[in-house]
Amino acid sequence: MSTAGNITRRGKSSWRLKYEGAERDPATGKRVTRYATVRGTKKDAQTELTRLLDEIRTGTAVEPSTLTLAAYLRSWLDSDSSLSPKTIERYRQLTEQQIIPNLGAALLQKLRPAQVHDWHGLLLKCGGKDGRPLSARTVGHAHRVLRRGLERALRLEIVGRNVAAALRPPKVEAAEVAILSLAEIGGVLDRLADHPLYPITVLALGTGMRRGEICGLAWAFLDLEGATVRVERSMEETAAGLRFKAPKTRAGRRRISLPPNAVEALRAHRRHQKQQRLLLGLGRAAADDLVFTLADGSPYPPDKLSRDWANVVRYRRLPRVMFHSLRHAHASALIAAGLDVMAVSRRLGHSSPAITLGVYAHLFETKDDAAAAAIEAAMRPSR
C-alpha cells in the first residue's frame, strides 16, 4: 500500500501532519485525508508521521474516535468482569482521584507518552490531598491502572499503541517493613494473653496467613487433632460489603502445619466461642461457621481487624507494627531457622519463589556466611 504525508509548521513548536488514511471515501473511492497535531520539534513530528504511516502500511491503524480517556476508563471499570470487586474499587479510586482530573479530557487516541511523563511529575509535586505531594508508590499504582486500561484498548484496537507502556513509573525507594523481631514475639504474646486478639495473633504468627484468610477461616478448615489448617478462601471487604473469594493462584490454596501453641490457643478459643454462643442462644457452631467473629457472631471484617490491632498496639504499648507485619515476622522466623526459599514460599502461598525472594531477599542474604562455611567444609581435602 502506497501512503504519503507531509508536515507543516503551525507555530513555534507546533506541527500539522497531513497523511492518507487506510480507509476510502465511499463516494469517491479515494483515501480519506487525515490530520494530526504534534507539539515539539520537527524531528518529533517526523517520528510521529512515520509511526502513523507505518500503522497504515501494516494494517494496525485504528479508526479515528472522539472517545476521551475519562469516558473510556469509566466504561472499562464498569464492564470488566475479570477484575475482583476489591480491585475494581481500588482502580476506580485511583482513576477518579489521580488519572481523570489530570488526563481525563484528552482524547484516548491522542494521548502521548510526553503527557504521561508530565502527569507523573505533577502527581509527585501536588497530586495528593489538598495539593500535597503524592508518594512514588501511589503514582506507580496509578500508572499501572492506566497501563492496564490502555492495554485492553490496544487489544480491542481502539488505540494503535499503549503509550503508558513506553514509560516506567517513578522509582520507589526500597524500605524494609517494620516487623517483630524474634526476641519481641514472646513478649507481645504475653501482653496479649488476656485479649480477644490473642488467638488471632498466635495464628498469624504461627502460619503467616493473611488477614483476609484468617477472617474467612471456617472451623471445617481446621484439623486440631492433626495440627493443620487449610487455606481455601479469604474474606474480601469492599464498599458493597463482605464476600468470600477463592485464592488468586493454585499456590494460595494450601495446607499449613500448626505449631503446638497455635493449636492450644485455638482449642481455648473454641471453648470460649461455645460459651458465647450459648449465652447468645445461637446453639453449637456448625462446621462451616467462622472461627473468628464479632461478639454477636457476625463476620469479622478485615479492615476492622487492622483497626483493632492498631488500637491494641497503642493501648498496650506493643512494638509499632501493622497487622500484616505478623506475616512478615513469620517468614523471618522461618528463614532464620534455615528453611529454604521453596518451603517458605509454599507456606506463605506465594505463586512463585521469585516473589518470596523479592520480599525477603535481604533476610536470605544474612545467611551467606553460613553458605561460605558449608562450601569450605565440602572443599576441605579428606585425610
Side-chain angles (χ1 to χ4, degrees), residues 24-276:
R24 294 179 181 274
D25 188 304
T28 65
K30 296 182 179 180
R31 291 195 183 93
V32 176
T33 300
R34 296 293 179 197
Y35 299 91
T37 299
V38 174
R39 298 190 180 280
T41 65
K42 186 172 184 180
K43 184 177 179 181
D44 294 331
Q46 290 171 333
T47 299
E48 179 64 8
L49 179 59
T50 299
R51 185 187 69 80
L52 293 169
L53 295 179
D54 283 344
E55 286 183 350
I56 294 171
R57 292 190 188 98
T58 58
T60 58
V62 297
E63 290 292 325
S65 168
T66 57
L67 182 66
T68 64
L69 179 63
Y72 167 74
L73 291 177
R74 285 171 175 152
S75 175
W76 163 49
L77 294 176
D78 286 341
S79 62
D80 195 336
S81 60
S82 68
L83 300 175
S84 73
K86 188 69 172 179
T87 299
I88 288 286
E89 187 173 84
R90 178 56 174 157
Y91 279 16
R92 186 170 282 120
Q93 180 186 46
L94 290 165
T95 296
E96 296 294 341
Q97 293 181 3
Q98 271 78 50
I99 302 177
I100 288 179
N102 301 291
L103 298 173
L107 294 180
L108 179 62
Q109 295 178 341
K110 299 291 186 181
L111 192 64
R112 295 292 178 261
Q115 292 171 274
V116 177
H117 175 271
D118 292 345
W119 170 61
H120 287 169
L122 182 65
L123 292 183
L124 291 170
K125 182 180 179 181
C126 57
K129 188 176 181 180
D130 299 326
R132 292 195 292 267
L134 205 60
S135 71
R137 187 178 300 278
T138 303
V139 176
H141 291 164
H143 176 91
R144 280 185 281 277
V145 173
L146 178 62
R147 178 171 179 166
R148 184 163 184 174
L150 293 180
E151 188 61 34
R152 174 180 177 271
L154 180 61
R155 292 197 304 271
L156 296 177
E157 297 185 358
I158 301 174
V159 297
R161 62 172 175 162
N162 183 346
V163 296
L167 297 169
R168 291 185 177 182
K171 183 178 180 181
V172 178
E173 294 297 329
E176 291 189 13
V177 179
I179 64 173
L180 295 177
S181 68
L182 294 178
E184 292 174 321
I185 291 175
V188 166
L189 293 178
D190 286 343
R191 290 153 76 178
L192 288 178
D194 62 340
H195 195 278
L197 285 184
Y198 177 76
I200 293 179
T201 304
V202 172
L203 184 63
L205 286 168
T207 65
M209 291 170 65
R210 302 173 177 91
R211 66 170 192 173
E213 295 170 342
I214 292 173
C215 291
L217 182 65
W219 285 109
F221 303 149
L222 274 170
D223 177 6
L224 297 183
E225 295 298 326
T228 62
V229 58
R230 299 194 326 269
V231 179
E232 300 282 349
R233 66 187 186 185
S234 66
M235 184 179 289
E236 182 177 76
E237 182 175 4
T238 68
L242 301 173
R243 75 174 190 118
F244 295 118
K245 68 172 186 177
K248 291 181 180 179
T249 65
R250 186 187 305 175
R253 183 177 281 105
R254 62 203 188 276
R255 185 185 296 271
I256 307 171
S257 60
L258 293 169
N261 63 342
V263 173
E264 181 183 349
L266 288 167
R267 288 188 190 279
H269 172 67
R270 184 166 60 181
R271 290 192 297 270
H272 176 72
Q273 190 180 74
K274 286 180 179 179
Q275 295 170 356
Q276 290 295 108

Side-chain angles (χ1 to χ4, degrees), residues 272-286 289:
H272 176 72
Q273 190 180 74
K274 286 180 179 179
Q275 295 170 356
Q276 290 295 108
R277 291 181 66 87
L278 288 174
L279 288 173
L280 293 171
L282 298 176
R284 299 185 63 178
D289 282 341

